[in-house]
Amino acid sequence: MSILPQHKYPLRPLTYAPTCPRLCCIARVTCSATTTKPRSSQNPLVIEPRLVTTPDLVTTIPSTGPPLPNDPSLQSTWSHRGWVASGCTTLVISLAKAMMGAADSHVWLEPMLAGYVGYIVADLLSAVYHWGIDNYGDASTPVFGSQIEGFQGHHKWPWIITRRQFANNLYALARNVTITVLPIDILCNDPVVQGFVSICAGCIMFSQQFHAWSHGTKSKLPPLVVALQDAGVLVSRLQHSAHHKPPYNSNYCIVSGVCNEFLDKNKVFEALEMVIFFKLGVRPRSWSEPGAEWTEETDETHPQVTVH
């Protein structure tokens, strides 16, 4: 039996043995006293194994699919519109100075010829830039990394460019035109120089829109744009579509396409690729078998061209 806990020390065992010899056995009675500790009122600590998940690791994996029609990356912002407005302003100033200078000097032929040369040079520069972006570097390349990544995505989903709003598509080029042309507007009054600069810079700035139109559906394009494409003034849909077919190494021009025939027939870019390979040991992407990143996917949503 147990005694109450207020006893500090337990009692010694007590033994009772009867003296009757007739008993065949001795009955022994033992009493023991023990103390019991009061139970703690606190709940016991229970350790249970748990599976720790990190959902953030899943959300940081970038999507490999094309952007949705209303993706913010395709929408114009006020910053985009501001750069396009500033680019257009510098172009208008340059063209106005060319016309005013020609009127004052009564010489119109030279500024007009200079403008035509600027138009040809813009088409050539667009091809050189397009060729370089398509064949060299990657997303980690300084300065041009994001543009290289964008052009790689363009080959996989070429119809995305038709979803981009107007200012979103042009603001990067408009920013460069503003920074380059504005000092010329301020420092130069030569109508020939301004004639060349205004047309060349204007075609470069709007080249991405010409490019977008070359991916558009004829029935959805403005009639004037279709007429200019058919006349060869702007790069046509048929001509540019050849660039999006294996081996993806021709028809790089995206302004008018007038330089494509010369560049492709004379293998200008193939010669440059050989020079770069023998001098630097760098192979262009066009020498390799096209991978999944170059395989065009079908647009299942049939997006509309939006201009804002």
Side-chain angles (χ1 to χ4, degrees):
M1 68 179 184
S2 298
I3 64 176
L4 295 176
Q6 60 265 25
H7 294 277
K8 186 175 182 182
Y9 302 100
L11 299 179
R12 292 182 178 180
L14 300 178
T15 303
Y16 170 72
T19 58
C20 181
R22 295 181 179 181
L23 295 177
C24 61
C25 64
I26 298 175
R28 179 176 293 178
V29 178
T30 302
C31 297
S32 63
T34 59
T35 60
T36 58
K37 296 181 180 181
R39 294 182 179 179
S40 174
S41 60
Q42 298 180 353
N43 295 327
L45 178 63
V46 179
I47 301 177
E48 298 179 355
R50 293 183 179 179
L51 179 62
V52 179
T53 59
T54 54
D56 290 339
L57 296 179
V58 178
T59 58
T60 56
I61 298 175
S63 174
T64 57
L68 298 175
N70 295 325
D71 193 287
S73 65
L74 306 179
Q75 309 298 313
S76 297
T77 66
W78 286 110
S79 175
H80 298 164
R81 297 183 181 99
W83 279 117
V84 172
S86 66
C88 290
T89 300
T90 56
L91 292 175
V92 169
I93 293 173
S94 179
L95 184 60
K97 294 187 75 171
M99 296 178 66
M100 292 174 61
D104 292 341
S105 61
H106 302 287
V107 177
W108 291 93
L109 182 61
E110 287 84 350
M112 293 176 65
L113 289 176
Y116 179 74
V117 173
Y119 168 74
I120 302 298
V121 170
D123 193 53
L124 176 62
L125 291 178
S126 73
V128 174
Y129 174 81
H130 196 175
W131 163 76
I133 291 294
D134 273 4
N135 286 282
Y136 299 100
D138 53 29
S140 63
T141 302
V143 181
F144 299 102
S146 61
Q147 301 167 51
I148 295 172
E149 186 178 22
F151 267 78
Q152 294 305 304
H154 173 68
H155 277 275
K156 192 173 184 65
W157 307 297
W159 35 266
I160 289 179
I161 196 172
T162 65
R163 293 180 177 179
R164 290 191 180 276
Q165 294 183 348
F166 181 76
N168 179 285
N169 201 24
L170 299 186
Y171 81 95
L173 290 172
R175 179 173 54 199
N176 294 332
V177 166
T178 300
I179 296 172
T180 304
V181 176
L182 184 59
I184 300 176
D185 288 346
I186 297 173
L187 301 175
C188 181
N189 294 318
D190 189 328
V192 176
V193 173
Q194 293 291 358
F196 173 83
V197 169
S198 60
I199 302 301
C200 182
C203 289
I204 291 175
M205 175 175 155
F206 286 95
S207 63
Q208 272 296 82
Q209 188 57 48
F210 303 155
H211 187 191
W213 284 334
S214 70
H215 285 282
T217 304
K218 184 175 182 179
S219 60
K220 297 177 181 179
L221 292 176
L224 178 60
V225 172
V226 176
L228 292 174
Q229 289 178 340
D230 293 342
V233 178
L234 300 180
V235 61
S236 66
R237 302 174 307 283
L238 179 62
Q239 188 179 47
H240 186 66
S241 65
H243 174 70
H244 286 267
K245 297 177 181 178
Y248 310 99
N249 62 354
S250 63
N251 293 278
Y252 287 105
C253 299
I254 58 173
V255 173
S256 65
V258 68
C259 295
N260 276 330
E261 183 177 0
F262 172 82
L263 295 171
D264 294 341
K265 281 189 175 182
N266 292 281
K267 302 185 183 301
V268 174
F269 290 125
E270 292 184 21
L272 290 176
E273 290 166 359
M274 294 295 293
V275 171
I276 293 174
F277 176 72
F278 285 115
K279 292 291 185 180
L280 304 177
V282 180
R283 294 171 58 91
R285 274 184 283 272
S286 61
W287 288 9
S288 304
E289 190 70 21
E293 68 276 8
W294 288 82
T295 305
E296 181 176 339
E297 293 185 0
T298 305
D299 179 14
E300 299 178 354
T301 59
H302 303 287
Q304 300 291 329
V305 178
T306 54
V307 178
H308 294 268

